[in-house]
Amino acid sequence: MTKTDMNIFDSLESEVRSYCRDFPTVFNKAKGHKLWDENGKEYIDFFSGAGALNYGHNDPKMKEKLIEYIADDGITHSLDKATTAKAEFIQKFNDVILKPRKLDYKMMFPGPTGTNAVESALKLARKVKGRTDIISFTKGFHGMTIGSLSVTGNASKRKGAGVPLNHSVTMPYDSFVDEQDTIPYIERYLEDSGSGVDIPAAMIVETVQGEGGINAASFEWLKKIDELCKKWDILLIVDDIQAGIGRTGTFFSFEQAGIEPDIVCLSKSLSGYGLPFAVTLFRPELDIWSPGEHNGTFRGNNHAFITASAALDYWTDQEFEKSIKKKSEFTLKYLQDIVNKYPELKGTVRGRGLMVGIACENGDVADKVTSECFKRGLVMETAGMDGEVFKLFPAINIDDEALKQGLEIIEESVKSVVKEPVTN
Amino acid sequence: MTKTDMNIFDSLESEVRSYCRDFPTVFNKAKGHKLWDENGKEYIDFFSGAGALNYGHNDPKMKEKLIEYIADDGITHSLDKATTAKAEFIQKFNDVILKPRKLDYKMMFPGPTGTNAVESALKLARKVKGRTDIISFTKGFHGMTIGSLSVTGNASKRKGAGVPLNHSVTMPYDSFVDEQDTIPYIERYLEDSGSGVDIPAAMIVETVQGEGGINAASFEWLKKIDELCKKWDILLIVDDIQAGIGRTGTFFSFEQAGIEPDIVCLSKSLSGYGLPFAVTLFRPELDIWSPGEHNGTFRGNNHAFITASAALDYWTDQEFEKSIKKKSEFTLKYLQDIVNKYPELKGTVRGRGLMVGIACENGDVADKVTSECFKRGLVMETAGMDGEVFKLFPAINIDDEALKQGLEIIEESVKSVVKEPVTN
Amino acid sequence: MTKTDMNIFDSLESEVRSYCRDFPTVFNKAKGHKLWDENGKEYIDFFSGAGALNYGHNDPKMKEKLIEYIADDGITHSLDKATTAKAEFIQKFNDVILKPRKLDYKMMFPGPTGTNAVESALKLARKVKGRTDIISFTKGFHGMTIGSLSVTGNASKRKGAGVPLNHSVTMPYDSFVDEQDTIPYIERYLEDSGSGVDIPAAMIVETVQGEGGINAASFEWLKKIDELCKKWDILLIVDDIQAGIGRTGTFFSFEQAGIEPDIVCLSKSLSGYGLPFAVTLFRPELDIWSPGEHNGTFRGNNHAFITASAALDYWTDQEFEKSIKKKSEFTLKYLQDIVNKYPELKGTVRGRGLMVGIACENGDVADKVTSECFKRGLVMETAGMDGEVFKLFPAINIDDEALKQGLEIIEESVKSVVKEPVTN
Amino acid sequence: MTKTDMNIFDSLESEVRSYCRDFPTVFNKAKGHKLWDENGKEYIDFFSGAGALNYGHNDPKMKEKLIEYIADDGITHSLDKATTAKAEFIQKFNDVILKPRKLDYKMMFPGPTGTNAVESALKLARKVKGRTDIISFTKGFHGMTIGSLSVTGNASKRKGAGVPLNHSVTMPYDSFVDEQDTIPYIERYLEDSGSGVDIPAAMIVETVQGEGGINAASFEWLKKIDELCKKWDILLIVDDIQAGIGRTGTFFSFEQAGIEPDIVCLSKSLSGYGLPFAVTLFRPELDIWSPGEHNGTFRGNNHAFITASAALDYWTDQEFEKSIKKKSEFTLKYLQDIVNKYPELKGTVRGRGLMVGIACENGDVADKVTSECFKRGLVMETAGMDGEVFKLFPAINIDDEALKQGLEIIEESVKSVVKEPVTN
């Protein structure tokens, strides 16, 4: 195979491309937690497609099913016609995920991306409640189409809209204001008819904010948000696109908080294989859609139905969650040790489950760490408004050795950045 | 294989599902222009995934490449990291499609669906021009996320937004008003500073409207729109998601009109295989994006890169366009004959290339025709505000015999609906 | 009296001031159709406060009543408390104006300016119909607060908003497109559910556009607009702020068209004396306001109640309308003669009643004419998007001699501008 | 004089009327702090036109000047033509008010009502900064036209708009949240680029909120708001329409806080006589208006220029401010005594200067108090979201005896409402 000329991207692809700037090589192969580039260099992947590859790359069981399906000329594209592959997914998702968790949700396939799921959730909430406004939270990220962008906090992403973003109000996420509980603020805005904030159709929240900088809301805060929603007749939408599908330790990230959202958005790792796929879940009594009122050409991606069904097998065994938990504890401890050992980093450990990271003093430091990691064969990205958090997203089924190896690379990289570790 | 219980969809899937109501059976296999359901019944597909399957189902060459890629553990999901599969697509698209047509465009991968492409095009136009408004056209359809929906005409889809849709102005499409040329009307709005319509950042237009009812704008009208845009410093966006990729006879639908849009949106049949995929093309001088200013988790769907590259082989041979043209002429003549033969249908033939249909007196008649077709083994949908147009979207590489067979089923169905044909 | 230093305005008043630039002198006295400046120079007033002084300045009967009221310590400011002066106005307006015209309207005092009346009308229409959009017309002018500005056509005024103006759609006014009837356009937009224009709560229209350039809609066109509104369940709002109170020959400008709007906005000459005053009239069944739902500090300007009541006496005698008609015919003929006599002016006579003018080739020509008039002791302004129309607004009770005198000044001014008149 | 039939209002005036419901009698005369109805009953006025009659009714000196001006046929209505009356006001306002306070402001006459002033201020701020958003505050009230309503907190007033209100963000006013300082909260939104709140063009604030329930922001809080604005390059607009013109003890309410806003809105008592009048003041370097970019028919109300000039004489003597202060201290003490003496009232004294009131347990109690007062010959209104505050707005030049008399009526009314006062 001849090697790819990187100039192709420079000359023919838009300046909007980004990750290829951080990881300047041409990748061509992947397996589990490993990536290879055209030079044959191997990388440990602590990036996992920004959360779209929670089970690692090209999982062998899913791969087998997918090849078989394709070879048999299974339906590839079906819009929302009924297909065998779709029926199997629906049934299995209900049996393996919803029922055991006593969740009674209807499924909607809103188009194959996270932002499609968010847009459909907002539409449905507005239709059900007959209200226009949505409450979102500081540093929240929900997607790049205008509806989703309206509930996203990031100023530069918002500016990209080119139009003012309306029909949304941003409330303070847990810990947004130092030493102030944000719940009383939110409650005052709801209860006081002079607050200028109308009762919204819904609140949309991430239990752990990914793009926002690996900010984990406390379970207590999430419970209070849930209570406020119930008290004021507001629908609660959990955007579980990045934090869901096992990333924080359970299938849905909100399980641990003991809440049951009215609407849930899933995408990213839902297909298990990195294929475009999304689902919007909601309580059956909210299902007042007219046929086709929201649609999309790729809402029936059958390849994704096939791999997503296969991926559900991970969740039939209780041991899976336990193993994530174990890996998470190991990782958090390791990161805390790094923070303690290298005080020059001025780091703070953040996150929950395997959605974790270290907030550095600023974005430059975090960038240096990830660059050093990349040189040493570890792919990892940054998050936060200034990119000040380096963010670990290992596959949730990574083997312990590879996890440790990746963490060691991180430590070495931190060390090389801060130069001289304090001995303690 | 046990047969699927249709109740699964009723009980677990949202009421928003639609095509499964029109085609009430469970499909499980597809090949070229044919579909099969679980009962083994065979259908000719004149629906083609609403334009996402222009090359038919599961094209053997693409299939081979895809299976090979998967089997070799090629990268599946890459966001916008550089991959071998992506580089090949970019290079080949430039070599096979852009260069021979003397088109100098940069490529942006905005997320894998048509609405992502449209949202990115609108954002870019607004950024480039520093203006908020977009002119769209009556009966236009551009997608279901809030940005795209704002430039979509359909009242019930718009209502689904749950919020007022702003920053857009709808101008009359070609032939919208009987016996009046709509160009002078549009021009007056632009030239008169008291018109209440501000000079927009862009106009977004389909050369043939699909969802709107198979309305083909004349080449002359399209040229005048292009001239108006140039005169008033407005960007011209052609949404070629449904009409492009050969559907109207040439790769881009606008080639025949002799215009070169500033921005082009492609999706649907771009992957060739029905996989989620989209690209936004624009003149290089418009490429003022900041890295990551628009993004999306599935903007690097490598399976789609593989099949899309394979699909481009169709376009290396000039004969391909000629064959579409021949099939189109045959089809249009056949449809005109039906209209003449069955005056009770009160039909009018519409469209261009293989994006054609018959507008009936109302939606009931068109529905009856498509229902009769379905019974006879032909899958075909309706379009238009009242669903009054039955819409033929055969694969553009369908063999002549199958095309004729499909048309015969349509004639039989029309006959059965209008009961007694006039003999002539 | 010492003379005023014009520097006071330059140094202390905002750059937003405008008329003092066109008429660079300090006025200090006025009576009927005459104005005087501090130098004692006398002017004929063909400006009439942009339509706020239809009865001329400081009408003696109104003046007498007003001084008497003030001397007696009558209530000046009452918000919407009941006062004797208010009761008298309400009763008299009903007896003299509404009843004889068989109009059954309730009166609302929305604040003392035209834009207050428009904003209240739009609010009420939206509330009654539960819809957000309003259809306005090209070149329409309705005021400078954000609600009114949203239905105003002028691009530079709109830009002043500093925010995009939403919830409105601009349709083509009568004769907006050369040789095309605009009614079929409007109808198509309403009847086609794919038009992208939602059925609005109301249409707001001026029967003759003042700021827009003295464009008089034909009675036939107005009737068709009225019919469209009825057919599509849309409220018809006539903004009669400039064209009403006798300006076009009848009290309401719409009387001659034979239509009865659902809502009518009046202000400008309503007080008769140039005092801030406005009223919003509407059919009783639309009166679903909650108490105080719209309010304003100066909605009870009792000085205006007093003079407005006195002004109604003009309308108790049928001869008044006839005299306006006579003056109008004389004026229109005189203007037509000017146009014929001075073809270099490339003028077109426009208007209805005593709301008339000549559209010149461009704004420069019209400006020169008004400047020459000012030198010769006639105050007159321009209108239209480029200020291309010089606009005659004499008092509707001006005596015939003064009218002729003013017209002669105009002819002289035109002559001096075009230099050499054609003899015929 | 025959007495007015109250049915006139019921049958001919809109349901939107409100104060005539609270004070069900027909007023016909007023002088200083006194009002009379048609029955000859005398009332003490603690309402003062909701702040539009700070100097009482029909002040004799202003009255004399006004009658003289009218009798002499002074210009009544001038738009923004230069007039002698206008020049005098501008010069005197600069000499008496601005210069002694070392304030360098240009004056704009935006139309004669408070909401005109607010709309012009928002437009100017947006134009100067090139940003769309405005930060307003909880319970703020700024007017009823769409621009002003967008920065108003009251939910029912907002709902009256009939459209979503955009381009504004409501931040918490001083003391909005119990036991939390709201400044850190506001600062976090400004400093964090992920907050979802874009840096606004301006903040608009009342130093004491009138409609909102007589909430006085502390001087410290106001200073911090001013600092935040400076730090983040945000314009500070003080809406001094209700709190200004001496109501809180100084001409401008913000003087005591030691801040100098970029833009100031004045109206209500500016004319001194209850005539419609408003001015927008701003720093000269902000004066980037184009001529006529904002306008209005009644922006040159010369009667108001005359009385407003006369009213300025009050401010030439330092004793005036001292006397307001004395009256205020007396009033606040008296109110505090009532609160102490009648604990059943559960009252809290609120306000500053002579903009004061008692917040009761709820709106019913406050309503009962004002009703009892009305019976006893005192006119007073309520404020707050539930109308829970009875609000004392005596003339600021009221004589001490009348003030005491009014307060005694209030005490008697409170007593009659709570029945049995505690003796202490």
Side-chain angles (χ1 to χ4, degrees), chain D residues 62-338:
Chain D
M62 302 181 206
K63 172 177 162 179
E64 189 191 332
K65 297 266 190 190
L66 179 59
I67 289 179
E68 184 187 304
Y69 186 79
I70 297 172
D72 282 356
D73 287 324
I75 301 275
T76 300
H77 175 279
S78 64
L79 290 145
D80 56 13
K81 291 202 291 275
T83 68
T84 311
K86 181 177 179 178
E88 282 173 356
F89 171 75
I90 289 177
Q91 189 65 60
K92 196 165 174 183
F93 189 79
N94 194 50
D95 293 347
V96 176
I97 302 297
L98 298 182
K99 266 197 194 161
R101 287 164 182 80
K102 298 190 173 39
L103 292 168
D104 185 16
Y105 286 139
K106 291 197 95 176
M107 298 175 215
M108 171 186 181
F109 301 95
T113 71
T115 197
N116 288 118
V118 170
E119 295 252 354
S120 68
L122 301 181
K123 279 186 184 181
L124 182 63
R126 283 163 169 150
K127 181 170 186 176
V128 167
K129 291 299 176 195
R131 307 174 197 144
T132 55
D133 282 5
I134 303 289
I135 282 184
S136 57
F137 291 91
T138 53
K139 301 200 192 176
F141 179 89
H142 301 285
M144 295 297 272
T145 51
I146 295 297
S148 304
L149 201 49
S150 297
V151 290
T152 289
N154 187 301
S156 72
K157 304 282 187 214
R158 290 173 71 84
K159 204 174 167 217
V163 291
L165 297 169
N166 298 320
H167 312 307
S168 57
V169 175
T170 326
M171 285 287 156
Y173 196 71
D174 194 14
S175 306
F176 183 63
V177 184
D178 285 346
E179 292 167 31
Q180 294 203 7
D181 180 6
T182 64
I183 295 290
Y185 180 94
I186 300 166
E187 183 146 33
R188 284 293 293 129
Y189 270 91
L190 295 175
E191 81 188 5
D192 193 311
S193 66
S195 72
V197 170
D198 302 318
I199 298 297
M203 295 195 193
I204 185 165
V205 70
E206 300 153 284
T207 64
V208 184
Q209 296 180 325
E211 300 300 305
I214 312 296
N215 311 308
S218 71
F219 296 140
E220 189 192 12
W221 187 87
L222 290 166
K223 265 180 202 147
K224 282 185 185 165
I225 288 293
D226 183 49
E227 283 160 20
L228 283 181
C229 284
K230 285 189 173 61
K231 181 170 173 189
W232 295 98
D233 184 32
I234 297 163
L235 295 175
L236 178 61
I237 304 169
V238 169
D239 176 343
D240 226 12
I241 292 167
Q242 189 158 151
I245 324 286
R247 179 50 62 193
T248 64
T250 45
F251 187 84
F252 295 110
S253 75
F254 54 80
E255 295 175 41
Q256 298 153 279
I259 59 173
E260 288 185 17
D262 299 291
I263 306 179
V264 180
C265 300
L266 293 178
S267 182
K268 289 202 182 266
S269 283
L270 181 63
S271 82
Y273 207 77
L275 300 176
F277 193 39
V279 72
T280 312
L281 307 172
F282 34 82
R283 289 191 293 107
E285 57 269 39
L286 306 181
D287 190 17
I288 60 169
W289 285 111
S290 304
E293 195 173 0
H294 180 93
N295 60 32
T297 293
F298 297 108
R299 64 195 183 277
N301 181 10
N302 286 259
H303 289 191
F305 289 136
I306 293 296
T307 57
S309 293
L312 294 175
D313 289 336
Y314 275 100
W315 299 94
T316 53
D317 183 351
Q318 301 272 24
E319 289 306 306
F320 189 50
E321 290 194 7
K322 287 183 194 159
S323 75
I324 304 172
K325 203 183 167 197
K326 221 184 95 201
K327 288 183 218 303
S328 169
E329 283 164 358
F330 177 77
T331 305
L332 284 164
K333 191 185 172 311
Y334 203 107
L335 293 179
Q336 193 56 55
D337 287 348
I338 289 176

Side-chain angles (χ1 to χ4, degrees), chain B residues 240-300:
Chain B
D240 227 12
I241 292 169
Q242 188 157 152
I245 324 285
R247 178 51 60 192
T248 65
T250 44
F251 186 83
F252 295 110
S253 74
F254 54 79
E255 295 174 42
Q256 298 153 280
I259 60 172
E260 287 185 17
D262 299 290
I263 306 180
V264 180
C265 301
L266 293 178
S267 181
K268 287 200 182 268
S269 283
L270 181 64
S271 83
Y273 208 76
L275 300 177
F277 192 39
V279 72
T280 312
L281 306 171
F282 35 81
R283 288 190 295 106
E285 57 270 39
L286 307 181
D287 190 17
I288 61 169
W289 286 111
S290 305
E293 195 172 359
H294 179 94
N295 61 30
T297 295
F298 296 109
R299 64 194 184 276

Side-chain angles (χ1 to χ4, degrees), chain C residues 365-394:
Chain C
V365 176
D367 267 354
K368 281 180 195 157
V369 173
T370 56
S371 293
E372 289 295 324
C373 286
F374 185 68
K375 282 188 215 159
R376 288 166 172 80
L378 181 83
V379 174
M380 181 173 73
E381 73 165 327
T382 60
M385 291 312 119
D386 184 35
E388 74 280 9
V389 181
F390 61 81
K391 171 187 171 189
L392 287 69
F393 264 51

Side-chain angles (χ1 to χ4, degrees), chain C residues 321-338:
Chain C
E321 292 194 7
K322 285 181 193 159
S323 75
I324 304 172
K325 202 181 168 197
K326 222 183 97 201
K327 287 182 220 303
S328 168
E329 284 165 358
F330 177 77
T331 305
L332 284 164
K333 191 184 172 312
Y334 204 107
L335 293 179
Q336 192 56 56
D337 287 348
I338 290 176

Side-chain angles (χ1 to χ4, degrees), chain A residues 77-83 86 109 290-300, chain B residues 6 9 13-27 35 45-52 141 157 210-211 242 268 367 370 374 379-384 391 393:
Chain A
H77 175 280
S78 65
L79 289 146
D80 57 12
K81 294 203 289 276
T83 68
K86 181 177 179 178
F109 300 95
S290 305
E293 196 173 358
H294 180 94
N295 61 31
T297 294
F298 297 109
R299 65 194 184 276
Chain B
M6 280 291 271
F9 302 101
E13 192 182 1
S14 165
E15 293 300 322
V16 82
R17 69 197 185 278
S18 62
Y19 285 119
C20 58
R21 301 171 194 264
D22 298 323
F23 312 123
T25 190
V26 181
F27 296 96
L35 276 167
D45 189 359
F46 268 27
F47 173 45
S48 295
F141 180 89
K157 304 282 188 214
E211 300 300 304
Q242 188 157 152
K268 287 200 182 268
D367 267 355
T370 56
F374 185 68
V379 174
M380 181 173 73
E381 73 164 327
T382 60
K391 172 185 171 190
F393 264 52

Side-chain angles (χ1 to χ4, degrees), chain A residues 209-240:
Chain A
Q209 296 180 325
E211 300 300 304
I214 313 296
N215 311 308
S218 72
F219 295 141
E220 188 191 13
W221 188 87
L222 289 166
K223 265 180 200 147
K224 282 183 185 166
I225 288 293
D226 183 50
E227 283 160 20
L228 282 181
C229 284
K230 285 188 172 64
K231 182 171 173 188
W232 295 98
D233 185 31
I234 297 164
L235 294 175
L236 179 61
I237 304 170
V238 170
D239 175 343
D240 227 11

Side-chain angles (χ1 to χ4, degrees), chain B residues 335-364:
Chain B
L335 292 180
Q336 193 56 56
D337 286 349
I338 289 176
V339 163
N340 296 341
K341 210 161 157 189
Y342 304 92
E344 305 91 332
L345 187 67
K346 298 182 185 169
T348 316
V349 176
R350 289 203 184 153
R352 178 175 294 143
L354 284 171
M355 185 170 184
V356 294
I358 290 179
C360 304
E361 200 181 358
N362 57 48
D364 283 347

Side-chain angles (χ1 to χ4, degrees), chain B residues 1 13 22 27 79 106 108 122-123 132 149 164 205 221 255 265 267 269 271 274 279 293 301-302 313 323 334 372 412:
Chain B
M1 181 191 278
E13 192 182 1
D22 298 323
F27 296 96
L79 290 146
K106 292 198 93 176
M108 171 186 182
L122 301 182
K123 279 187 186 181
T132 55
L149 201 50
V205 68
W221 187 87
E255 295 174 42
C265 301
S267 181
S269 283
S271 83
V279 72
E293 195 172 359
N301 181 10
N302 286 262
D313 290 335
S323 76
Y334 204 107
E372 289 295 324
E412 283 163 35

